[in-house]
């Protein structure tokens, strides 16, 4: 117990210390939310990865989908690495860095407002982010607190409040630079921790071969497949594909993920960050889902609901409860690292979005930089408090599992933003009407499905599949609607000395401007 407490105290001391150290970078709005757009590839890549993978993945998703699909759940981790990290960096990274710099956009709603010349789109995007980041943040609290309860026998409420306070301290003090510096430290802990835990769990089950043999002898409900939980695609390929799409493609439209590309240095840093981020995802995400694949070996030890359904959030903590104390302490710091980095990214994104895109110019007309930073800090505290209250309510009422909360959040956000953001980066032929259609469909379908789910009759049984559908429809609906509605061509500032370092992107954007001008002239004729 002493070792576990010391590890946690050291972690908290380092996090707060980094926040204090980074105070000097928070004197401007750009410094507070983007680190001055000069964050290097290693810190950017680790910030991306640690914001990507939190207790939701390690406890919620790894437990639930490992139990459902066995070792085939590892495909979700592979998808996260290739589609959610490598391709996201290659396709979105350079273009996002350059376009947001040219537009002078610091947040995703600000990008929508300036790219599509629409204040209404900017306000709508800000409202969507604030509403749907809250359940995701609440889900992170839930997963972490279950592990703390297992390790320290602390009440859930104490864990949630403690985590909220620490998050507030270091993000309020140090802003974005404090989060990325802590993310780098926390990412190293995650890489070491997940490797040690996988080895320990497999060895506790007699080694890899013995564990796989035991897993192969467990039948799957409603399936005649032999050895379903060690098969290549598992007992339910269709629903597994939905998990891969939601957790991998979703990052392309999530504001807290995309914003990492706003802040990175221009030039080769993006290519370097892509490789680092992909390796990180292979180890952390692939390792988490692989570990969860052995959850069925603990079927007689995990918790079950009154109707006999497994409480998926209890699977990973049960697997870890048999490990030596020092390893449990390492796991606690591992998940604490993942969760704190995700929380800091979420609350910083939400507070900056509300301040810059909703309050400034709409409710408070005269807001200089100093006032904006004060507003962001106040809203940051408010956002942490609201999400903590929802986490406490969810726990005591047992409304949904944490994986479902994340599914609703990712489905609405990425379902609304993915198409407008991706097409808006590369095409000058996208219309405002198309963006509105994507916003309405993504949020509308998610909200209807969530409401009907609470009533006991969801439109789409799985929130995961609902979210994946929203994302795919967003990619299709934006270009289709744009064919029949008025386009909004690129309206960006000329290249600066800094942006001119990436000449290839300069040429691409200049060509896009010419094509957009030609399209506009043809439309006028």
């Amino acid at each position: 117990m002493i070792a576990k407490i010391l590890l946690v105290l050291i972690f908290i001391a380092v996090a707060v210390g980094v926040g204090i150290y980074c105070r000097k970078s928070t004197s401007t709005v750009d410094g507070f939310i983007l680190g001055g757009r000069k964050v290097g590839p290693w810190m950017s890549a680790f910030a991306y990865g640690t914001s990507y993978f939190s207790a939701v993945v390690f406890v919620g998703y790894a437990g639930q989908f490992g139990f459902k699909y066995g070792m085939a759940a590892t495909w979700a981790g592979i998808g996260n690495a290739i589609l959610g990290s490598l391709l996201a960096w290659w396709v979105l990274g350079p273009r996002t860095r350059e376009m947001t710099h040219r537009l002078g956009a610091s947040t995703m709603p600000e990008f929508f407002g300036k790219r599509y010349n629409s204040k209404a789109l900017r306000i709508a995007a800000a409202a969507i982010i604030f509403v749907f980041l809250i359940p995701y943040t609440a889900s992170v609290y839930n997963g972490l607190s279950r592990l703390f309860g297992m390790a320290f026998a602390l009440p859930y409420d104490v864990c949630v409040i403690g985590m909220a306070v620490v998050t507030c301290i270091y993000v309020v003090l140090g802003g974005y630079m404090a989060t990325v510096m802590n993310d780098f430290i926390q990412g190293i802990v995650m890489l070491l921790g997940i490797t040690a835990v996988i080895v320990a769990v497999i060895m506790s089950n007699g080694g890899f071969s013995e564990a796989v043999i035991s897993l192969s002898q467990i039948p799957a409900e409603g399936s005649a497949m032999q050895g379903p939980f060690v098969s290549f695609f598992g007992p339910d390929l269709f629903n597994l594909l939905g998990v891969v799409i939601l957790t991998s493609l979703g990052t392309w439209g999530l504001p807290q993920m995309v914003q990492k590309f706003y802040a990175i240095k221009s030039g080769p840093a993006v290519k370097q960050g892509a490789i680092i981020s992909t390796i990180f995802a292979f180890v952390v995400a692939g390792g988490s889902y692989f570990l969860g694949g052995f959850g069925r070996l603990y079927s007689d030890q995990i918790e079950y609901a009154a109707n006999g359904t497994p409480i998926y959030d209890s699977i990973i903590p049960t697997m870890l409860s048999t490990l030596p104390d020092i390893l449990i302490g390492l796991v606690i710091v591992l998940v604490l690292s993942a969760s704190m980095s995700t929380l800091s990214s979420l609350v910083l994104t939400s507070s900056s979005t509300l301040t810059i895109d909703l309050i400034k110019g709409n409710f408070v007309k005269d807001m200089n930089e100093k006032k904006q930073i004060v507003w962001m800090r106040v809203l940051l505290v408010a956002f942490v408090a609201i999400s903590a209250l929802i986490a406490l309510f969810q726990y005591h009422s047992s409304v949904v599992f944490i994986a479902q909360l994340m599914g609703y959040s990712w489905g609405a956000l990425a379902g609304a933003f993915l198409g407008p953001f991706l097409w808006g980066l590369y095409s000058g032929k996208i219309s405002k009407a198309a963006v509105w259609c994507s916003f309405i469909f993504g949020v509308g379908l998610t909200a209807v499905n969530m409401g009907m789910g609470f009533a006991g009759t969801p439109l789409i049984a799985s929130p995961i599949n609902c979210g994946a559908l929203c994302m795919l429809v967003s990619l299709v609906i934006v270009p289709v609607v744009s064919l029949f509605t008025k386009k909004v061509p690129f309206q960006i500032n000329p290249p600066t000395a800094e942006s001119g370092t990436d000449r290839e992107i300069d040429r691409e954007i200049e060509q896009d401007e010419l094509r957009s001008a030609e399209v506009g002239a043809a439309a006028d004729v």
Side-chain angles (χ1 to χ4, degrees), residues 320-362:
L320 302 176
S321 62
T322 59
L323 300 180
D325 282 348
I326 189 65
L327 272 181
I328 292 178
L330 181 61
V331 170
I332 295 300
V333 175
L334 181 163
V335 182
L336 186 61
S337 298
S339 301
M340 293 289 283
S341 57
T342 302
L343 280 174
S344 62
S345 178
L346 293 173
V347 297
L348 190 59
T349 298
S350 182
S351 63
S352 60
T353 295
L354 279 181
T355 301
I356 295 173
D357 302 305
L358 200 58
I359 297 174
K360 179 185 175 184
N362 296 308

Side-chain angles (χ1 to χ4, degrees), residues 10 22 25 47 52 65 73 78 114 152 166 180 203 205 230 236 256 272 340 362 376 439 446 465 508:
I10 291 171
C22 293
S25 68
Y52 195 166
F65 302 125
I78 296 172
K114 293 185 175 181
F152 299 106
V166 175
V180 295
M203 294 307 295
N205 284 281
V230 296
D236 189 355
Q256 74 273 19
Q272 296 166 1
M340 293 289 283
N362 296 308
M376 281 189 276
F439 282 14
T446 303
N465 292 341
E508 287 180 8

Side-chain angles (χ1 to χ4, degrees), residues 22 24-37 39 106 174-178 348 369 373 376:
C22 293
K24 60 185 178 182
S25 68
T26 63
S27 57
T28 65
V29 171
D30 200 49
F32 188 80
I33 63 176
L34 294 176
R37 297 182 189 261
V39 183
S106 301
Y176 185 78
M177 281 308 299
L348 190 59
E369 281 205 321
I373 294 172
M376 281 189 276

Side-chain angles (χ1 to χ4, degrees), residues 128-167:
I128 293 169
I129 288 172
F130 178 70
V131 171
F132 285 97
L133 278 186
I134 290 176
Y136 183 20
T137 310
S139 69
V140 176
Y141 283 116
N142 195 335
L144 179 67
S145 298
R146 284 186 177 274
L147 278 178
F148 262 79
M150 177 270 292
F152 299 106
L154 287 175
Y156 179 84
D157 302 37
V158 173
C159 299
V160 168
I161 294 170
M163 186 173 174
V165 170
V166 175
T167 303

